[in-house]
Structures are given as structure tokens and as C-alpha cells.
Amino acid sequence: MARLLSGIQPSGDLHLGNYLGAIRGWVAGQRGNDAYYCVVDLHALSGDYDPHQLARRTFDTALNLLAAGLDPDECTLFVQSHVGEHSRLAWLLECVANLGELRRMTQFKDKAGESESARVGLFTYPVLQAADILLYDAELVPVGDDQRQHLELTRDLAQRFNHRYGPTFVVPEASVPEVAARVMDLQAPTRKMSKSVSSPLGTIGMLDSPAEIDRKVRKAVTDTGGEVRYDPDAKPGVSNLLELLAAATGASPASLAGSFTSYGQLKAQTSEALVELLRPVRERYVELAADPAQVTAVLVAGAERASQVAGATFERASMAAGLLAPGSEPPRAQETAG
Ligand code: TYM
């Protein structure tokens, strides 16, 4: 039995990349493991967001995750800001992180560029992510390919903290799916599918209707030449469709390629497979949306369970870093070495 943790930003509208790259792995991982999953609303504050929408989106993201198959009897689902230790541990970790390693984070560079008005929260974002993970002694972190660098940083911070203050944190590993770890935009297949991209045809929503899925797959950009071949560099559009079909059917993208003689055939089968893959998610969403009190209860119980684990880890880390425990006598002064 392994300890798992992962998180997702509350965009409300989750997409196929989130589902195949991460959420499906969360659902598989909850069985037989001790799994913690959180909606990372504090991370959302680091970008442009509408404060009138955030709470609704946070709630709706939790609803989406339950619809996708998270089972509150098998895992702990909670909202990041409901467990105060996330922000508290982030500060301890900021005091072991250095400027250079945060400047190298590609997601920060992509979003902030050279702008002097970029938010400090965007810069320290990966440290808060490290706190999310380390608080739960997570051994495995199921994520898509784009999170690998943040996981490397988390490992570095855990190791540095352990080295400086004594063994405190478990050093986690990323768990990235073999296929569809980086689902690409259907209209621009060299760019990853994302919530923020303004190409509605390029992104398949997890709750899209069968007709919407079919329309988007059929309009997907393919490559020159009519041959169906798995070659992500030379044929990014076709390879993306093959990856999606492979993820939905359990076959490998390269082996599937041989069964099609035209792009049209590939699109028709991919569309059908994705419709069937997402159908149960959409159906469960409708059921759950009719009973929001159930979702609230899941989040209350989840925050309680998460707080117990997070509280114990935070106490361990703050003692290791030398903070005075609340209510305790000041320890006798020790000779400082050197
Ligand atoms: P976020 O909210 O951008 O995405 C949530 C998960 O979905 C995966 N993902 C994708 N996978 C495949 N193809 C895509 N096109 C695609 N787009 C997104 C992401 O890899 C991610 O696993 N920083 C994180 C949130 C976070 C977190 C954490 C993750 C905060 N704390 C602790 C793990 C552990 C993020 O922005 O994910």
C-alpha cells in the first residue's frame, strides 16, 4: 500500500488532458492505496481569476472529480485552503528553496516571461506544490508529463530539508501514464491541450456531449500526406489522435496505426471511443449535481482527515527547523557548533 497525493487547479471545466494524464490514474490509484487528492484553490490565486467565480469553480471541480470516479470511501478528497498547513509548510520550504532553481521552472518562464509585474505567488507556486506533496508523506504523485519538473524540485527540496534538519520528509516520485501523458490541442497539435487556450475546438471537455466530442475530433488538424503512422515529431496531429484512441482502448498507438487506411477512419473510431470513455463521467455528473449537499459532506470529511495527517507532518517539520512548540518550555540553550 502506497501513500499517494495529487492536486488539480479549480478551473471548473476539466478537459480530456486532465482526465487521461492525471485523473484516471487517481481513480486507479485509490484502490488498495492511501490516496489524498486536493483541489488547489490557493494555486489558482497566482494567476488571473475571478474572485466571484473561484468558490463555485472549486466546488464544481470537486464534483467533476467525483463524477470521474473518485470514491470518498476509498480516498480523501479535500480543498487545499481548508487545510492551513499547506501555506504554513510552504513558508518553511521557501526558506530552503533558492532563487536560481525557481527561476529555472519552465512554467514560470512561460507565464511570466521577463515581466517585473509577474506575481511573487506565481514564482513560488512550485514551492506550495512541494508543500502539498510533502505534507502527506506521499511516495507517488500521479500527474501528467508537464508536472515532471515541479516533482524534481519537490524531491530536491525534501532532500535538502532532510539534509539540513534531519530526516523529516518522504522523497516522492512522479507517476506518469505511459500513453496520453501529454494530450495535445486538437487544433494545434504541437501545443498541449489546456484550459486556458482560447481554441474551443482544440479542447475536449470532460463533460462534453457526444455531439461536441464528435465535431471536435472530426475537425482535428491532421498532417500532410494521408498515411496513418505513429510519429509524434513528423505527424503530431495523427499521433495525438492515435494516443487518444490508445488511451481509450488500452492498445498501443503504434500498433493501432496499422489498422487504418485513412484519416477519416481514424477520426471516426477515435470519436466513438472517446464518447464511450466519457459517457459514464457525464452521467454521474448529472446525478451528483442534483445533490450538492453530498459533495459538501465529502469535502468536510476530507478536510478533517487531511488535517490530521498534515498537522502531524507540519509539527515534525517545524520542530526539525527549530521553531518553539506552542505551550512548551524553552529548551536549554545549546552550544552552537563552530
Ligand atoms: P493542472 O491543474 O494544470 O492539471 C491537473 C493535472 O492534469 C494534468 N494535465 C495534463 N495531462 C496530459 N495532457 C494534458 N494536456 C494535460 N493538462 C493537464 C497535469 O499534469 C496535472 O497532473 N501544478 C498542478 C497542480 C498541483 C499539484 C500539486 C499536482 C498543485 N499541487 C501537488 C500534483 C501534486 C497543476 O497546475 O495541474
Side-chain angles (χ1 to χ4, degrees), residues 5-11 14-23 26 38 40 43 80 107 111 125 128-130 132-133 141-148 150-151 177 180-185 191-195:
L5 176 123
S6 202
I8 187 161
Q9 294 205 53
S11 76
L14 304 193
H15 56 73
L16 188 60
N18 298 131
Y19 183 68
L20 293 177
I23 299 166
W26 301 11
C38 61
V40 294
H43 277 107
Q80 182 190 37
Q107 290 208 349
K111 288 191 178 154
Y125 176 114
L128 179 59
Q129 179 164 351
D132 299 339
I133 297 168
V141 184
V143 280
D145 184 68
D146 62 345
Q147 297 300 312
R148 281 185 198 275
H150 287 168
L151 257 293
R182 181 174 282 264
V183 173
M184 307 309 266
D185 187 291
R191 185 172 71 195
K192 95 180 167 190
M193 189 178 281
S194 112
K195 302 157 192 159

Side-chain angles (χ1 to χ4, degrees), residues 222-301:
T222 43
D223 314 290
T224 48
E227 187 198 358
V228 178
R229 177 161 52 88
Y230 184 65
D231 182 345
D233 291 328
K235 290 189 151 267
V238 168
S239 300
N240 192 34
L241 291 176
L242 284 167
E243 286 238 5
L244 294 178
L245 182 58
T249 59
S252 85
S255 72
L256 283 170
S259 37
F260 299 104
T261 51
S262 74
Y263 291 166
Q265 278 179 343
L266 169 63
K267 286 182 169 177
Q269 266 205 37
T270 305
S271 156
E272 204 177 302
L274 293 178
V275 165
E276 289 318 311
L277 182 76
L278 295 177
R279 189 188 300 281
V281 179
R282 206 171 130 83
E283 287 172 359
R284 269 195 303 267
Y285 181 86
V286 174
E287 280 168 31
L288 282 163
D291 187 7
Q294 203 186 329
V295 181
T296 306
V298 167
L299 294 178
V300 169

